[in-house]
Amino acid sequence: PPAALLAALEGALPRRDLEGRRVVVTAGGTREPIDPVRYIGNYSSGKMGHALALAARQRGAQVSLVTTVAAPDHPGLEVQLVETAEEMLAALRPLLADADLLVMAAAVADFRPARREPAKIRREERERLVVELERNVDVLAELVRGQEHLFRLGFAAEDLDLDARARAKLERKGLDAIFANDISQPGIGLGADDNAGVLLFRDGSRAEFERMPKRMLAERLLDAVVPRLPPRRR
Ligand code: CTP
């Protein structure tokens, strides 16, 4: 067959560059309970993380998806549903010893109610309700230690100084790369179908991504990250 036809076929077929790799993806916004019926949450839809999990699976990876949002049913995706940051951390710990890539797309609530009321808070009982919040566990920071085999990709939702803030976060959390998206622009980012932003690597290199559907962006992010994964261990 002519070379042009082969090239076209290759472009149409999914890349299998994650064959034999283990990928762990988090998705969705955590829900931090106030009482049995209420929680503190955020606008994350889980779409970016789910797109990344599916893309990694198609490329041949064994994928564990830890998500707060019901995930697409897909053969080969091992899905764990969680609610809080603590639950997400507990689900991730046993998965990471074996993993090659952690994609931390979840929007973890930065603050959680300092106390969970055991019974439903009743309207008649109060005129005003004050919920005290405390700083939540930093899931990524907790998972940094002793994981040299693991490439850690974080996400950052920023409204100002995108590059500088994302770079500082990458350093602070000891990440290998971070994808920063601009949440001040309408139609992209948290909850939206499209996304755009900049991917920063620890070595200082960066790549910009124009607005596109999250599934397409997931492919482009993996195109950039997969060649930088640590050598295969198996
Ligand atoms: N993250 C996390 N645990 C938290 C908060 C964030 O693991 N409690 C992760 C997110 O999943 C993301 C990265 O850290 O991959 C950056 O999240 P972001 O909320 O932007 O960073 P923060 O450290 O919360 O910084 P700030 O809210 O001050 O911008």
Side-chain angles (χ1 to χ4, degrees), residues 69-148:
V69 184
D73 198 17
H74 192 276
L77 270 196
E78 183 217 298
V79 181
Q80 288 190 53
L81 270 180
V82 296
E83 293 219 331
T84 65
E86 287 287 0
E87 286 173 21
M88 187 168 276
L89 179 59
L92 288 173
R93 282 197 199 280
L95 295 174
L96 293 185
D98 258 1
D100 301 287
L101 170 62
L102 168 65
V103 178
M104 194 69 197
V108 182
D110 287 319
F111 297 93
R112 66 182 167 202
R115 150 187 168 82
R116 178 194 177 151
E117 296 296 332
K120 184 182 173 187
I121 300 168
R122 302 263 159 208
R123 203 165 94 97
E124 319 81 76
E125 286 165 7
R126 31 194 131 189
E127 200 57 47
R128 189 179 285 276
L129 173 63
V130 177
V131 178
E132 190 188 353
L133 303 180
E134 64 182 13
R135 195 189 275 185
N136 210 351
V137 59
D138 189 326
V139 178
L140 255 185
E142 287 288 326
L143 295 171
V144 170
R145 280 160 289 235
Q147 314 263 9
E148 289 77 29

Side-chain angles (χ1 to χ4, degrees), residues 48 155 179-182 187-190 192-197 209-214 217:
M48 192 68 237
F155 278 69
F179 179 73
N181 58 280
D182 184 352
I188 60 168
L190 270 192
D193 287 326
D194 291 353
N195 209 353
F209 298 87
E210 299 293 304
R211 176 174 176 165
M212 65 183 98
K214 285 179 172 174
L217 180 63

